[in-house]
Amino acid sequence: PGVFPGAGDSPWVRCQQWARDHTPRDAVFVTPPHLWWLYVPDWRVHSERSTVVTLSELLEVAFAPSYAPIWRERFEALVPGAQARFEGDYFANARLTAEVYRGLPTGRLLQVARRYGASFAVVERPSPHPLPVVWENEGFVVHDVSRGGVEVGWPGQSGQPSAAGARPRPSR
C-alpha cells in the first residue's frame, strides 16, 4: 500500500529506457497510441524520444489549438476510423484506439512510419508483424521499420512486407 508518484518498473518503462539508451536522440517511434494514464507514462517520459502521435496528445489542443488538424491527420493515419467512432468517453476511446492499433496491417504500419519519418515501431506482445525485431521484453516488441518496405498507395491500402521482414534474434 502507499502512494507512488512515478510509474515504477514495468515492461512499458523498460521499453522506453531501452529506446533512450540504444537509439539516436532524434529517432522517431510509432508507439501504441492508447498507452498513457496515471501509472502508464507517456512514451516520451522515459524514452526521451519522439512518437508519431498518441491519444493523450489531444489534451495539448487546449493549449495549442493550431495543433488539432495535425493531430487529427496523424491519428487518422495511425488508427484509421477510430476518431469517427469516439463518443466522449475517454476510456471507451482508449479501448477503441487500442483495438484499431492492434489490428493495424503491417503495410499500413510501414506507410505511417515512412510518412512521418519513424525508424521504429513498438507493439504489444505478441506482435503480428513479420518485421525485424531489435528488442523485446515480456510486454513489448520493438521493430525496425526503417528497413521494411511495401509498395502500396496511400491512404487505406495494405501490403506485404518486403524480404527484409525476417525476424532476427533480438538483442536485449
Side-chain angles (χ1 to χ4, degrees):
V3 175
F4 303 96
D9 184 48
S10 71
W12 181 236
V13 168
R14 288 193 305 278
C15 184
Q16 291 183 43
Q17 291 167 337
W18 176 86
R20 178 195 63 215
D21 296 341
H22 296 93
T23 64
R25 283 186 83 54
D26 62 349
V28 177
F29 285 75
V30 175
T31 61
H34 57 284
L35 290 182
W36 172 80
W37 199 241
L38 296 176
Y39 294 108
V40 182
D42 180 80
W43 173 254
R44 295 169 192 86
V45 172
H46 296 284
S47 71
E48 300 174 13
R49 300 296 181 269
S50 295
T51 185
V52 170
V53 69
T54 63
L55 180 57
S56 66
E57 289 174 8
L58 186 55
L59 299 171
E60 295 176 27
V61 171
F63 302 102
S66 62
Y67 182 63
I70 296 166
W71 180 86
R72 274 191 217 100
E73 176 193 311
R74 287 173 174 244
F75 199 78
E76 181 62 26
L78 185 58
V79 283
Q83 289 178 73
R85 296 169 50 198
F86 284 1
E87 295 184 4
D89 176 342
Y90 174 81
F91 298 105
N93 295 348
R95 285 189 298 274
L96 173 62
T97 299
E99 177 186 316
V100 174
Y101 183 71
R102 290 174 182 144
L104 198 65
T106 301
R108 181 67 175 223
L109 179 67
L110 291 170
Q111 287 176 330
V112 170
R114 185 171 42 239
R115 183 172 186 171
Y116 297 107
S119 297
F120 302 94
V122 179
V123 296
E124 295 166 284
R125 288 182 65 103
S127 173
H129 304 292
L131 298 167
V133 174
V134 294
W135 186 84
E136 61 187 324
N137 66 15
E138 65 273 25
F140 298 91
V141 175
V142 180
H143 291 288
D144 178 345
V145 292
S146 67
R147 292 183 288 168
V150 292
E151 296 303 322
V152 295
W154 179 268
Q157 296 179 353
S158 63
Q160 297 299 315
S162 70
R167 285 178 71 109
R169 184 174 186 88
S171 60
R172 295 182 192 231

